[in-house]
Coordinates of all heavy atoms in Angstrom, one line a residue:
L507 N 47.5 50.3 -24.4 CA 46.1 49.9 -23.9 C 45.1 51.0 -24.2 O 44.0 50.7 -24.6 CB 46.2 49.7 -22.4 CG 46.9 48.5 -21.8 CD1 47.0 48.5 -20.3 CD2 46.1 47.2 -22.3
S508 N 45.5 52.3 -24.1 CA 44.6 53.4 -24.3 C 44.2 53.5 -25.8 O 43.1 53.6 -26.1 CB 45.3 54.7 -23.8 OG 45.6 54.6 -22.4
I509 N 45.2 53.5 -26.6 CA 45.0 53.6 -28.1 C 44.2 52.5 -28.6 O 43.3 52.6 -29.4 CB 46.3 53.8 -28.8 CG1 46.9 55.1 -28.4 CG2 46.1 53.8 -30.3 CD1 48.3 55.4 -28.9
Y510 N 44.5 51.3 -28.2 CA 43.8 50.1 -28.7 C 42.3 50.1 -28.2 O 41.4 49.9 -29.0 CB 44.5 48.8 -28.1 CG 43.9 47.5 -28.5 CD1 44.0 47.0 -29.8 CD2 43.1 46.8 -27.6 CE1 43.4 45.8 -30.1 CE2 42.5 45.6 -27.9 CZ 42.7 45.1 -29.2 OH 42.1 43.9 -29.5
T511 N 42.1 50.3 -26.9 CA 40.7 50.3 -26.4 C 39.9 51.5 -26.9 O 38.7 51.4 -27.1 CB 40.8 50.3 -24.9 OG1 41.6 49.3 -24.4 CG2 39.4 50.1 -24.3
A512 N 40.6 52.6 -27.2 CA 39.9 53.8 -27.7 C 39.2 53.5 -29.1 O 38.2 54.0 -29.4 CB 40.8 55.0 -27.8
A513 N 39.8 52.6 -29.9 CA 39.2 52.3 -31.2 C 37.9 51.6 -31.0 O 36.9 51.8 -31.7 CB 40.2 51.4 -31.9
F514 N 37.8 50.7 -30.0 CA 36.5 50.0 -29.7 C 35.5 51.0 -29.1 O 34.3 50.9 -29.4 CB 36.8 48.8 -28.8 CG 37.6 47.7 -29.5 CD1 38.9 47.7 -29.4 CD2 36.9 46.7 -30.2 CE1 39.7 46.7 -30.0 CE2 37.7 45.7 -30.8 CZ 39.0 45.7 -30.7
I515 N 36.0 51.8 -28.2 CA 35.0 52.8 -27.6 C 34.5 53.7 -28.6 O 33.3 54.2 -28.6 CB 35.8 53.5 -26.5 CG1 36.1 52.6 -25.3 CG2 34.9 54.7 -25.9 CD1 36.8 53.2 -24.1
A516 N 35.3 54.1 -29.6 CA 34.9 55.0 -30.7 C 33.7 54.4 -31.4 O 32.7 55.1 -31.8 CB 36.0 55.3 -31.6
E517 N 33.8 53.1 -31.7 CA 32.6 52.5 -32.4 C 31.4 52.4 -31.5 O 30.3 52.5 -32.0 CB 33.1 51.0 -32.8 CG 34.0 51.0 -34.0 CD 33.3 51.5 -35.3 OE1 32.7 50.7 -35.9 OE2 33.5 52.7 -35.6
V518 N 31.6 52.2 -30.2 CA 30.5 52.2 -29.3 C 29.8 53.6 -29.2 O 28.6 53.7 -29.3 CB 31.0 51.8 -27.9 CG1 29.8 52.0 -26.8 CG2 31.4 50.4 -27.8
V519 N 30.6 54.6 -29.2 CA 30.1 56.0 -29.2 C 29.3 56.3 -30.5 O 28.2 56.9 -30.5 CB 31.2 57.0 -28.9 CG1 30.7 58.4 -29.1 CG2 31.8 56.8 -27.5
R520 N 29.9 55.9 -31.6 CA 29.3 56.1 -32.9 C 27.9 55.4 -33.0 O 26.9 56.0 -33.4 CB 30.2 55.6 -34.0 CG 29.6 55.8 -35.4 CD 30.4 55.1 -36.5 NE 30.5 53.7 -36.2 CZ 29.5 52.8 -36.5 NH1 28.4 53.3 -37.1 NH2 29.6 51.5 -36.2
A521 N 27.9 54.2 -32.5 CA 26.6 53.5 -32.6 C 25.6 54.1 -31.6 O 24.4 54.2 -31.9 CB 26.8 52.0 -32.2
G522 N 26.0 54.6 -30.5 CA 25.1 55.2 -29.5 C 24.5 56.5 -30.1 O 23.3 56.8 -29.9
I523 N 25.3 57.3 -30.7 CA 24.9 58.6 -31.3 C 23.9 58.3 -32.5 O 22.8 58.9 -32.6 CB 26.0 59.4 -31.8 CG1 26.9 59.9 -30.6 CG2 25.6 60.6 -32.6 CD1 28.1 60.7 -30.9
Q524 N 24.2 57.3 -33.3 CA 23.3 57.0 -34.4 C 22.0 56.3 -33.9 O 21.0 56.3 -34.7 CB 24.0 56.0 -35.4 CG 25.1 56.7 -36.2 CD 25.8 55.7 -37.1 OE1 25.9 54.5 -36.9 NE2 26.3 56.2 -38.3
S525 N 21.9 55.8 -32.7 CA 20.7 55.3 -32.2 C 19.7 56.3 -31.8 O 18.5 56.0 -31.7 CB 21.0 54.4 -31.0 OG 21.4 55.2 -29.9
V526 N 20.1 57.6 -31.7 CA 19.2 58.7 -31.4 C 18.4 59.1 -32.6 O 19.0 59.3 -33.7 CB 19.9 59.9 -30.8 CG1 19.0 61.0 -30.5 CG2 20.7 59.5 -29.5
S527 N 17.1 59.2 -32.5 CA 16.3 59.6 -33.7 C 16.7 60.9 -34.3 O 17.1 61.8 -33.6 CB 14.8 59.7 -33.2 OG 14.0 60.1 -34.3
K528 N 16.7 60.9 -35.6 CA 17.1 62.1 -36.4 C 16.1 63.2 -36.1 O 16.5 64.4 -36.1 CB 17.0 61.8 -37.9 CG 17.6 62.9 -38.7 CD 17.5 62.5 -40.2 CE 18.0 63.7 -41.1 NZ 18.0 63.3 -42.5
G529 N 14.9 62.9 -35.7 CA 13.9 64.0 -35.4 C 14.3 64.8 -34.1 O 14.0 65.9 -34.0
Q530 N 15.1 64.2 -33.2 CA 15.6 64.9 -32.1 C 16.5 66.0 -32.5 O 16.4 67.1 -31.9 CB 16.3 63.9 -31.1 CG 15.4 62.8 -30.6 CD 14.5 63.3 -29.5 OE1 14.8 64.3 -28.8 NE2 13.3 62.7 -29.5
R531 N 17.4 65.7 -33.4 CA 18.3 66.8 -33.9 C 17.6 67.9 -34.6 O 17.8 69.1 -34.4 CB 19.3 66.1 -34.9 CG 20.4 65.3 -34.2 CD 21.3 64.7 -35.3 NE 22.4 64.0 -34.8 CZ 23.6 64.5 -34.5 NH1 23.8 65.8 -34.8 NH2 24.6 63.8 -34.0
E532 N 16.6 67.5 -35.4 CA 15.8 68.4 -36.2 C 15.0 69.3 -35.3 O 14.9 70.6 -35.5 CB 14.9 67.7 -37.2 CG 15.7 67.0 -38.3 CD 14.8 66.2 -39.2 OE1 13.6 66.0 -38.8 OE2 15.3 65.6 -40.2
A533 N 14.4 68.7 -34.2 CA 13.7 69.5 -33.3 C 14.5 70.5 -32.5 O 14.2 71.7 -32.3 CB 12.9 68.6 -32.3
A534 N 15.7 70.1 -32.1 CA 16.7 70.9 -31.4 C 17.2 72.1 -32.3 O 17.3 73.2 -31.9 CB 17.8 70.1 -30.9
A535 N 17.4 71.7 -33.6 CA 17.8 72.8 -34.6 C 16.7 73.8 -34.8 O 17.0 75.0 -35.0 CB 18.3 72.1 -35.9
A536 N 15.5 73.3 -34.8 CA 14.4 74.2 -35.0 C 14.2 75.2 -33.9 O 13.7 76.3 -34.0 CB 13.1 73.4 -35.2
L537 N 14.7 74.8 -32.7 CA 14.7 75.7 -31.5 C 15.8 76.7 -31.5 O 15.9 77.6 -30.7 CB 14.7 74.9 -30.2 CG 13.5 74.0 -29.9 CD1 13.7 73.2 -28.7 CD2 12.2 74.9 -29.8
G538 N 16.7 76.6 -32.5 CA 17.8 77.5 -32.6 C 19.1 77.1 -32.0 O 20.0 77.9 -31.9
L539 N 19.2 75.9 -31.6 CA 20.4 75.4 -30.9 C 21.5 75.2 -32.0 O 21.2 74.7 -33.1 CB 20.2 74.1 -30.1 CG 19.3 74.2 -28.9 CD1 19.1 72.9 -28.3 CD2 19.8 75.2 -27.9
R540 N 22.7 75.5 -31.6 CA 23.9 75.2 -32.5 C 24.2 73.7 -32.4 O 23.8 73.0 -31.5 CB 25.1 76.0 -32.1 CG 24.8 77.5 -32.3 CD 26.1 78.3 -31.9 NE 25.9 79.8 -32.1 CZ 26.8 80.7 -31.8 NH1 28.0 80.3 -31.4 NH2 26.5 82.0 -32.0
E541 N 25.0 73.3 -33.4 CA 25.4 71.8 -33.5 C 26.0 71.3 -32.2 O 25.7 70.2 -31.8 CB 26.3 71.6 -34.7 CG 26.6 70.2 -35.0 CD 25.3 69.4 -35.4 OE1 24.4 70.0 -36.0 OE2 25.3 68.2 -35.2
G542 N 27.0 72.1 -31.7 CA 27.6 71.7 -30.5 C 26.7 71.5 -29.3 O 26.8 70.6 -28.5
R543 N 25.8 72.5 -29.2 CA 24.8 72.4 -28.1 C 23.8 71.2 -28.3 O 23.4 70.6 -27.3 CB 24.0 73.7 -28.0 CG 24.9 74.9 -27.8 CD 25.3 75.0 -26.3 NE 24.2 75.3 -25.4 CZ 24.3 75.4 -24.1 NH1 25.5 75.2 -23.5 NH2 23.3 75.8 -23.4
I544 N 23.5 71.0 -29.5 CA 22.6 69.8 -29.8 C 23.2 68.5 -29.4 O 22.6 67.7 -28.8 CB 22.2 69.8 -31.3 CG1 21.4 71.0 -31.7 CG2 21.5 68.5 -31.7 CD1 21.1 71.1 -33.2
L545 N 24.5 68.4 -29.7 CA 25.2 67.2 -29.4 C 25.3 67.0 -27.9 O 25.1 65.9 -27.3 CB 26.6 67.2 -30.0 CG 27.5 65.9 -29.9 CD1 26.8 64.8 -30.7 CD2 28.9 66.2 -30.4
K546 N 25.6 68.1 -27.2 CA 25.8 68.1 -25.7 C 24.5 67.9 -24.9 O 24.5 67.1 -24.0 CB 26.6 69.3 -25.3 CG 26.8 69.4 -23.8 CD 27.5 70.7 -23.4 CE 27.6 70.9 -21.9 NZ 28.3 72.2 -21.5
L547 N 23.5 68.6 -25.3 CA 22.3 68.7 -24.5 C 21.2 67.7 -25.0 O 20.3 67.3 -24.2 CB 21.7 70.1 -24.5 CG 22.6 71.2 -24.0 CD1 21.9 72.5 -24.2 CD2 23.0 70.9 -22.6
V548 N 21.2 67.3 -26.2 CA 20.1 66.4 -26.8 C 20.6 65.0 -27.1 O 20.0 64.0 -26.7 CB 19.5 67.1 -28.0 CG1 18.4 66.2 -28.6 CG2 18.9 68.5 -27.6
V549 N 21.7 65.0 -27.9 CA 22.1 63.7 -28.5 C 22.8 62.8 -27.5 O 22.4 61.6 -27.2 CB 22.9 63.9 -29.8 CG1 23.4 62.6 -30.3 CG2 22.1 64.7 -30.8
V550 N 23.9 63.3 -26.9 CA 24.7 62.5 -26.0 C 23.9 62.0 -24.8 O 24.0 60.8 -24.4 CB 26.0 63.3 -25.6 CG1 26.7 62.5 -24.5 CG2 26.9 63.5 -26.8
P551 N 23.1 62.8 -24.1 CA 22.4 62.3 -23.0 C 21.5 61.1 -23.3 O 21.3 60.2 -22.5 CB 21.6 63.5 -22.5 CG 22.4 64.7 -22.9 CD 23.0 64.3 -24.2
Q552 N 20.9 61.1 -24.5 CA 20.0 60.0 -24.9 C 20.9 58.8 -25.4 O 20.4 57.7 -25.3 CB 19.1 60.5 -26.0 CG 18.1 61.5 -25.6 CD 17.1 61.9 -26.7 OE1 16.2 61.1 -27.0 NE2 17.2 63.1 -27.3
A553 N 22.0 59.1 -26.0 CA 22.9 58.0 -26.5 C 23.5 57.3 -25.3 O 24.0 56.1 -25.5 CB 23.9 58.6 -27.4
M554 N 23.7 57.9 -24.2 CA 24.4 57.2 -23.1 C 23.8 55.9 -22.6 O 24.5 55.0 -22.2 CB 24.5 58.2 -21.9 CG 25.4 59.4 -22.1 SD 27.1 58.9 -22.5 CE 27.6 58.1 -21.0
R555 N 22.5 55.8 -22.8 CA 21.8 54.5 -22.4 C 22.2 53.4 -23.3 O 22.2 52.2 -22.9 CB 20.3 54.7 -22.4 CG 19.8 55.1 -23.8 CD 18.3 55.4 -23.8 NE 17.8 55.8 -25.1 CZ 17.5 55.0 -26.1 NH1 17.5 53.7 -26.0 NH2 17.1 55.5 -27.3
V556 N 22.6 53.7 -24.5 CA 23.2 52.7 -25.4 C 24.7 52.5 -25.3 O 25.2 51.4 -25.4 CB 22.8 53.1 -26.9 CG1 23.4 52.0 -27.9 CG2 21.3 53.2 -27.0

Side-chain angles (χ1 to χ4, degrees):
L507 287 174
S508 303
I509 293 174
Y510 177 78
T511 308
F514 293 92
I515 292 180
E517 285 294 275
V518 171
V519 172
R520 180 189 59 80
I523 293 176
Q524 289 182 327
S525 69
V526 179
S527 172
K528 186 178 180 180
Q530 297 288 327
R531 287 177 173 268
E532 296 174 348
L537 294 175
L539 294 178
R540 296 181 179 179
E541 186 65 27
R543 301 285 288 178
I544 293 175
L545 187 66
K546 177 182 178 181
L547 301 177
V548 179
V549 177
V550 172
Q552 296 185 69
M554 290 303 293
R555 60 185 175 84
V556 178

